[in-house]
Amino acid sequence: MIDKHTKHLLTGAKRGFELMDERNPAEALKVFREVLIEARKAGIESANLLWGVAVASDYTGELEMAFENVTAALALDPLAGPIHHSFEVITRRIREALAAPERVADDPSTPRLYAILVGAGEAEVESHTAMARYHLATGNVPAAAAIVGAAALLYPASKAAWDAKAAVATALGDAEGAELARIEGVAAGAASMPFTAPGGARA
């Protein structure tokens, strides 16, 4: 039998999900966090509530909070398919945030978001190059060089990796290294272009 306090918590969780359905994630996040605090005071750890916080904070753009809560939810219920799906969505959004063209090179959240992806094994070449740009922008050229060197080895077909390596070589005053990296980048970009037959038909 469900006691009165548990019913109260269930009602709060239900309201949070209703607010998500009503496309009001900011209010849903507030409700989920309040219910989560109340549940913890009662000694209850709920994967469902943590998931609710993760989804709502993802929708409000609070990616670090979203990741923290979705991983906590997975720790409590590692077999929950919807939570795994949210984990994939949230890590993809973090990658997209790092790779966004309008992202400021020295954005202070870059190291934190990058650390999240690396720790989760979810970093891709754009994540590494974003972190390299951050190091360049904040004056840590050796750290940038280490990242782009590894990225070029791991992703030899990536133009982004070679372009980043060229930028680091330029910062180091290595004109020859920069030119070689630019050549590799041009080759990588050409290799990734779809083949077009005469007359415009794509093979």
Side-chain angles (χ1 to χ4, degrees):
M1 182 176 178
I2 300 177
D3 60 68
K4 185 176 180 181
H5 188 242
T6 303
K7 284 184 179 179
H8 170 70
L9 294 174
L10 284 169
T11 299
K14 181 182 178 183
R15 179 57 185 152
F17 286 108
E18 287 173 346
L19 286 164
M20 288 299 299
D21 289 339
E22 295 167 9
R23 302 181 184 277
N24 190 351
E27 190 62 28
L29 178 57
K30 180 181 176 182
V31 169
F32 280 130
R33 295 185 73 182
E34 289 173 352
V35 179
L36 182 63
I37 291 169
E38 192 175 346
R40 283 174 169 167
K41 286 180 179 177
I44 299 171
E45 282 291 338
S46 168
N48 193 49
L49 284 174
L50 289 164
W51 178 51
V53 172
V55 173
S57 51
D58 171 43
Y59 272 88
T60 58
E62 298 179 66
L63 296 176
E64 293 172 65
M65 184 190 301
F67 183 83
E68 177 185 349
N69 283 276
V70 79
T71 51
L74 276 178
L76 286 174
D77 191 352
L79 300 181
I83 300 177
H84 274 283
H85 173 71
S86 292
F87 176 86
E88 292 170 0
V89 169
I90 290 165
T91 52
R92 184 179 72 242
R93 288 203 207 284
I94 294 173
R95 286 194 298 270
E96 290 171 348
L98 286 177
E102 67 275 13
R103 186 172 191 82
V104 178
D106 62 351
D107 189 312
S109 69
T110 293
R112 299 193 302 271
L113 296 178
Y114 180 69
I116 283 173
L117 292 177
V118 171
E122 295 289 332
E124 294 182 352
V125 62
E126 292 81 6
S127 313
H128 299 303
T129 55
M131 190 63 209
R133 284 194 298 273
Y134 174 85
H135 282 314
L136 277 180
T138 55
N140 193 346
V141 181
I147 289 177
V148 298
L153 286 173
L154 288 170
Y155 308 96
S158 169
K159 186 176 185 300
W162 290 109
D163 288 348
K165 190 168 185 178
V168 170
T170 299
L172 289 169
D174 179 6
E176 182 180 355
E179 181 60 22
L180 288 172
R182 277 192 288 269
I183 290 170
E184 292 285 358
V186 170
S192 66
M193 292 177 64
F195 173 73
T196 303
R202 181 173 295 177

